[in-house]
Structures are given as structure tokens and as C-alpha cells.
């Protein structure tokens, strides 16, 4: 942007109560300014923070919205949307700014849906994960100029991978990827979506596999497959056309407008598998337009197509059951295992530093087992209703009793050797070596052919 334009920007974006955000592609500076102004005008329900900087030093701004925007509150799930990870897939950043407007407008107008959503949920919005790529992008619908970060790295291939034999880039993390990994450590996110373009489909984990029991037919299925299919359908069916399953440039149609990531095309180092496997955050990848850089005059219609689904998806953070694990002295315990029978997650879900757990589950009867060092494991059966309509998951605390046996005998229920749930092992490249190398070579070809679609 030229200096004179930068000077007049503040005038263009002067806040006024009745102002509406223009439907156009705002520069990174304009987005930052917009977020600052929204934050200044709504200090009671917004909080602006940065999770780090891009390779070229641009801030990765996040706006948090909710009744408790500055910090976690007990029982309030953390939700996030991330857009523009591929710099030339730009619709998501426009939609997320419009979503901020919509949430604040609904809240200020006392609309029930907005009050209930903002009271029950903390919503984090990262409009651009790759601002450097955005600056380098051209407006082509299909090509990939601007896809990568400034170092030429595809950020959606740069995360640690639970299945890959070798970690991408010798385990070197790009600044933008490291910022997201650090972000995931600061909050226990429960549900997330990652907004892309170049196709029209909701894609869910796994994106990768290594020939183990997760591979079913041509798909790579997670223990929470039922929940992921539901989440993807909530998006595709609330979207005006995604559920029709039309393909864009892809030859294969997507039934219901959803797909298993691996079944579409396998990829290693993706963000959604990382969120799910290591951070117990269920993430889906939303492909929101056939054209990666839609003409600006189509933006109002594209927002209308996605408005309902973006809101309905957030509400799904209230699926399942949530609560705390209390130790024998009644103190919330961090790092307790909370396992659902029949769901052997690669890294078992644990309580966070507040002693809380959140477990997205479809309605039904479930058996949960909680274990903590020096305490007796506790198994309870819960009837889980459909939470989203009432904006809360089932609340259930587990009260543990001290183990009668000596502490050394208290062990985790089912230790799982692979993969290591310790990030640093993977960063060093010395982690568990999964089998299926031959398959990986074959898949590598497919990945190479398909790597530029989304
Ligand atoms: C919303 O409700 C609050 C509190 O009851 C009230 O002060 C405010 O004027 C209402 N706003 C609108 C737009 O009705
Ligand atoms: C939209 O999502 C809601 C969940 O929020 C779901 O109950 C509803 O069935 C969806 N609408 C359609 C048309 O599928
Ligand atoms: C992870 O593994 C590294 C290397 O073996 C070790 O130094 C570190 O303490 C481990 N971290 C945790 C949380 O276990
Ligand atoms: Zn993409």
C-alpha cells in the first residue's frame, strides 16, 4: 500500500454505530485497523490479541468475542475460526470479518440467538494466518501464487504429523505454524474450523494415515468419526448449496457436501489432524468457493450462502459433555485422563490446567472412565442429550477417591505406545516410526498431483 493511501485509511474506517463493513478485500493493514476499532467500540465483549508474527513480521491478530472475552471462564468452551492459511484463498477472511459484524450486531440488538451464543461461548477469530501470502497473491481462481508463506512453505503441510514417517521440512516449523501451535497451548480449544477455497466441501480428519486400523476402504477414520460427520453435515446442510455435493474442478462429487480428508487426497502435516490428535480440538477444513479469489461483487451473495452455517457450526461446540475432575480433596485436577469407552484416541483426552474436560459426543449413552495418579479410576455411565439447542453440553463433574493401594500401583488404564503425545519427540524426528512406508511412496505421488487444489 502506498503511504498516501495509508494516511486516508483511518477516515475510511471511522467507527460509527450504524456503519457496516464494506464487501471488498481489505488489506492486512485495514483488517488490523478494523479489529482495533471493533475492539475499542466493544470492550465489554471483545478482546484483541496477537498470537505471533508472520515471517515478514506482520501480526497474526485474533479477536475473541463473548461475555468473558479476556480469559477462560469455567464451563465456557473455547471455539476458533482460522482463515487465509493459504494466502490466495481469500473468501474466509472476508467471511470472518462479516461474522464479527453479525455477532456484534445481533448482540447489540438483543437478539436471542446472539445473546445466548455470546453468553455461552468464547469465539476466537483469526482472519489471516498467512498475511504475507495474501500480499503476494494474484486474483486467479485456480493457480497458487500466494498460497505459501514468505519462505515458500505450504503451512497446511508444516505441522507435526502423527502418521508420517518423516516430519515435513525436517521438523522445522514456520513462524505462522509455530504461532498456532503455541496458541493451542494457551487455551483448550474444543471445536474449530479452518477456512479454505478452491472447492466446495467440508472435509474432516484424518487427512493422513499409515495403513493401520484407521484405514477403512479409501478413508482414514478417527475414533470420533460419527461426531465429525455430524459436524461436517451441519456446515454443508446449513450452507445454501454445499450439501448438493457438486464438484468444482474436481472430477469426483462429494455426497452430502462432505468428505473424509484422506479419502479426498492424503496429506501429511495438516492443521486439522494436528488440532485433533494433539490438542483434543475437533477441527474441520471448510472449502468455501470453487474460485480461490472470487470477484468482489460476489462477496455479498457468498456471505449469505455461508452466514447460517458459520453460526450453526459454532453452536456445535455445545455437543456432548463437559465438567471438571475433582481430586480427593475436592480440588480440580489437571492432566486427568478422561476416556470414552470405544474411542481410543491416539492421544487420550485429558483435563486442562483448570481441571476441566470437554468431550463432543452425539446424543446417546456413554461410559466414561477417569483416571488420575494416586486415585481410584472412576467409571460412570452418562445419558448425553443434544446440547446445541440449549447452548450447553451436559454438565458432569467426576469426584475421585484416593487409591487404597500404594501410589506406585496406580497406572493409566490403557497406555498407548503410538504415536507419542509429546510434541518435542516429533520435532526432533525421533518419534515412533509407523509402518506402511511403501504405501507412503504411492500416496506421495497422489499428494504431489493433488497438492494445489485446496
Ligand atoms: C438491549 O437490552 C439492554 C438491556 O436490557 C438495553 O439497555 C438496550 O437498550 C437494548 N438494546 C436494544 C437495541 O434494544
Ligand atoms: C443446521 O444446523 C443445525 C444445528 O445447528 C441443525 O440442527 C439443522 O438441521 C441444520 N439445518 C439443516 C437444513 O440441515
Ligand atoms: C518430551 O520429550 C522430551 C525429549 O525426550 C523431554 O525432554 C520432555 O521432558 C518431554 N515432555 C513431556 C511433557 O513429557
Ligand atoms: Zn487451502
Amino acid at each position: 500500500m502506498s503511504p498516501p493511501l495509508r494516511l486516508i485509511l483511518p477516515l475510511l474506517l471511522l467507527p460509527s454505530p450504524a456503519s457496516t463493513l464494506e464487501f471488498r478485500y481489505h488489506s492486512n493493514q485495514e483488517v488490523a485497523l478494523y479489529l482495533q476499532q471493533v475492539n475499542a467500540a466493544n470492550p465489554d465483549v471483545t478482546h484483541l490479541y496477537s498470537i505471533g508474527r508472520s515471517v515478514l513480521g506482520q501480526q497474526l491478530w485474533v479477536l475473541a468475542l463473548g461475555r468473558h472475552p479476556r480469559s477462560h471462564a469455567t464451563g465456557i468452551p473455547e471455539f476458533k475460526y482460522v482463515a487465509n492459511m493459504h494466502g490466495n484463498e481469500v473468501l474466509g477472511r472476508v467471511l470472518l470479518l462479516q461474522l464479527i459484524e453479525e455477532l456484534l450486531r445481533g448482540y447489540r440488538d438483543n437478539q436471542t440467538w446472539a445473546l445466548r451464543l455470546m453468553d455461552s461461548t468464547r469465539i476466537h477469530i483469526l482472519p489471516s494466518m498467512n498475511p504475507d501470502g495474501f500480499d503476494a497473491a494474484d486474483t486467479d481462481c485456480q493457480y497458487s501464487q500466494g498460497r505459501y508463506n514468505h519462505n515458500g512453505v505450504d503451512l497446511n503441510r508444516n505441522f507435526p504429523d502423527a502418521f508420517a514417517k518423516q516430519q515435513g521440512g525436517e521438523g522445522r516449523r514456520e513462524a505462522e505454524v509455530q504461532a498456532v501451535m503455541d496458541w493451542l497451548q494457551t487455551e483448550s480449544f474444543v471445536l474449530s474450523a479452518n477456512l479454505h477455497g478452491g472447492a466446495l466441501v467440508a472435509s474432516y480428519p484424518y487427512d493422513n494415515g499409515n495403513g493401520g486400523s484407521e484405514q477403512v476402504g479409501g478413508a482414514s477414520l478417527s475414533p470420533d468419526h460419527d461426531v465429525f460427520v455430524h459436524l461436517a453435515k451441519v456446515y454443508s446442510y446449513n450452507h445454501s448449496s454445499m450439501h448438493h455435493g457438486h464438484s468444482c474442478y474436481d472430477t469426483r462429487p462429494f455426497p452430502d457436501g462432505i468428505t473424509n480428508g484422506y479419502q479426498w487426497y492424503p496429506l501429511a502435516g495438516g492443521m486439522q489432524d494436528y488440532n485433533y490428535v494433539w490438542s483434543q480440538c475437533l477441527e474441520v477444513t471448510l472449502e468455501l468457493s470453487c474460485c480461490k479469489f472470487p470477484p468482489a461483487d460476489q462477496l455479498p451473495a457468498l456471505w449469505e450462502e455461508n452466514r447460517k452455517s458459520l453460526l450453526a457450526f459454532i453452536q456445535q461446540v455445545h455437543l456432548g459433555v463437559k465438567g471438571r475432575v475433582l481430586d480427593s480433596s475436592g480440588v480440580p485436577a489437571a492432566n486427568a485422563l478422561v476416556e470414552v469407552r470405544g474411542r481410543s484416541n491416539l492421544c487420550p483426552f485429558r483435563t486442562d490446567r483448570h481441571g476441566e474436560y470437554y468431550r463432543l459426543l452425539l446424543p446417546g449413552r456413554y461410559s466414561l472412565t477417569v483416571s488420575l495418579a494416586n486415585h481410584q479410576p472412576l467409571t460412570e455411565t452418562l445419558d448425553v442429550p443434544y446440547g446445541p439447542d440449549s447452548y450447553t453440553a451436559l454438565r458432569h463433574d467426576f469426584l475421585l477417591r484416593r487409591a487404597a493401594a500404594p501410589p506406585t500401583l496406580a497406572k493409566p488404564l490403557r497406555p498407548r505406545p503410538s504415536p507419542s503425545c509429546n510434541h518435542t519427540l516429533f520435532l526432533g524426528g525421533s518419534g515412533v516410526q509407523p509402518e506402511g512406508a511403501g504405501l507412503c511412496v504411492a500416496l506421495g505421488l497422489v499428494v504431489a498431483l493433488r497438492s494445489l487444489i485446496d
Side-chain angles (χ1 to χ4, degrees):
M1 186 186 309
S2 61
L5 188 51
R6 190 174 298 162
L7 289 177
I8 58 170
L9 265 180
L11 299 175
L12 296 177
L13 289 167
L14 268 185
S16 87
S19 80
T20 50
L21 186 68
E22 278 178 80
F23 279 103
R24 63 180 177 85
Y25 293 106
H26 295 87
S27 69
N28 290 321
Q29 293 90 333
E30 289 174 309
V31 170
L33 197 55
Y34 168 74
L35 295 175
Q36 284 156 15
Q37 291 179 346
V38 162
N39 183 227
N42 302 275
D44 52 335
V45 285
T46 64
H47 171 57
L48 184 62
Y49 64 99
S50 167
I51 58 166
R53 289 176 185 269
S54 68
V55 170
L56 289 181
Q58 303 197 66
Q59 296 280 9
L60 303 174
W61 292 114
V62 173
L63 190 75
L65 300 101
R67 181 60 70 89
H68 308 279
R70 271 165 211 81
S71 57
H72 177 74
T74 306
I76 304 285
E78 307 283 341
F79 174 94
K80 68 184 164 69
Y81 272 135
V82 174
N84 200 213
M85 160 185 219
H86 289 140
N88 64 328
E89 297 169 15
V90 294
L91 177 59
R93 51 187 272 152
V94 173
L95 296 182
L96 292 188
L97 296 190
Q98 292 295 332
L99 178 65
I100 291 169
E101 291 278 296
E102 182 77 3
L103 286 167
L104 291 173
R105 189 163 45 231
Y107 189 81
R108 295 293 168 218
D109 289 351
N110 292 334
Q111 290 185 28
T112 308
W113 67 266
L115 295 173
R116 297 201 75 184
L117 198 57
M118 298 276 279
D119 283 353
S120 61
T121 318
R122 188 157 166 242
I123 303 163
H124 303 252
I125 293 182
L126 172 60
S128 178
M129 181 178 160
N130 185 3
D132 299 348
F134 176 79
D135 285 338
D138 68 19
T139 58
D140 190 87
C141 274
Q142 290 188 56
Y143 293 151
S144 50
Q145 172 69 38
R147 174 185 180 89
Y148 309 103
N149 77 342
H150 185 70
N151 291 333
V153 174
D154 188 331
L155 300 179
N156 207 24
R157 306 290 185 276
N158 191 241
F159 282 83
D161 190 291
F163 300 108
K165 192 170 165 60
Q166 288 177 333
Q167 297 303 310
E170 289 83 46
R172 200 187 133 201
R173 306 295 154 214
E174 293 301 312
E176 297 86 356
V177 167
Q178 190 61 53
V180 169
M181 288 171 64
D182 294 345
W183 187 26
L184 288 168
Q185 305 271 319
T186 65
E187 304 289 353
S188 341
F189 290 102
V190 177
L191 178 64
S192 171
N194 162 18
L195 279 54
H196 290 249
L200 195 60
V201 68
S203 169
Y204 55 86
Y206 298 120
D207 270 331
N208 204 4
N210 60 15
S213 60
E214 78 282 357
Q215 306 228 209
V216 179
S220 180
L221 305 187
S222 75
D224 295 300
H225 178 63
D226 55 343
V227 182
F228 276 120
V229 166
H230 168 80
L231 292 170
K233 281 188 182 172
V234 164
Y235 201 92
S236 72
Y237 276 89
N238 278 279
H239 185 282
S240 59
S241 60
M242 187 184 283
H243 56 280
H244 295 315
H246 300 312
S247 55
C248 297
Y249 320 103
D250 197 49
T251 49
R252 211 178 337 152
F254 297 111
D256 296 316
I258 68 171
T259 186
N260 171 253
Y262 183 97
Q263 189 152 37
W264 185 15
Y265 61 98
L267 68 89
M271 185 160 71
Q272 74 175 5
D273 284 7
Y274 180 82
N275 267 265
Y276 174 55
V277 172
W278 272 293
S279 297
Q280 53 197 42
C281 173
L282 276 70
E283 179 167 291
V284 302
T285 301
L286 301 172
E287 303 282 350
L288 297 179
S289 56
C290 292
C291 181
K292 293 177 181 179
F293 212 125
D297 63 3
Q298 295 177 10
L299 293 176
L302 286 164
W303 161 247
E304 277 311 313
E305 287 176 20
N306 286 280
R307 192 184 63 83
K308 217 173 104 204
S309 20
L310 286 167
L311 293 171
F313 187 79
I314 300 175
Q315 214 175 329
Q316 294 300 312
V317 77
H318 299 295
L319 280 175
V321 55
K322 66 183 177 187
R324 293 175 305 170
V325 172
L326 305 171
D327 71 12
S328 57
S329 2
V331 175
N335 226 22
L337 286 174
V338 180
E339 302 185 89
V340 181
R341 184 183 297 160
R343 287 164 200 260
S344 293
N345 295 89
L346 288 174
C347 296
F349 280 41
R350 292 175 180 273
T351 51
D352 61 20
R353 65 192 147 96
H354 310 290
E356 286 182 82
Y357 72 94
Y358 293 82
R359 199 68 168 85
L360 300 188
L361 295 167
L362 299 184
R365 174 168 290 192
Y366 295 90
S367 173
L368 277 77
T369 298
V370 174
S371 28
L372 178 69
N374 305 332
H375 289 73
Q376 296 174 21
L378 175 62
T379 297
E380 293 189 29
T381 299
L382 302 178
D383 285 310
V384 175
Y386 183 70
D389 287 345
S390 49
Y391 294 85
T392 179
L394 174 70
R395 295 170 200 275
H396 186 83
D397 289 348
F398 289 88
L399 316 173
L400 299 183
R401 298 220 313 249
R402 239 184 143 67
T408 49
L409 293 184
K411 286 181 187 160
L413 271 192
R414 283 174 283 141
R416 285 184 201 89
S418 160
S420 167
C421 297
N422 180 337
H423 302 206
T424 58
L425 287 180
F426 278 81
L427 296 175
S430 59
V432 179
Q433 304 285 298
E435 291 163 18
L439 183 66
C440 286
V441 174
L443 295 177
L445 280 173
V446 182
V447 172
L449 288 172
R450 302 292 305 277
S451 67
L452 300 182
I453 291 171
D454 74 321

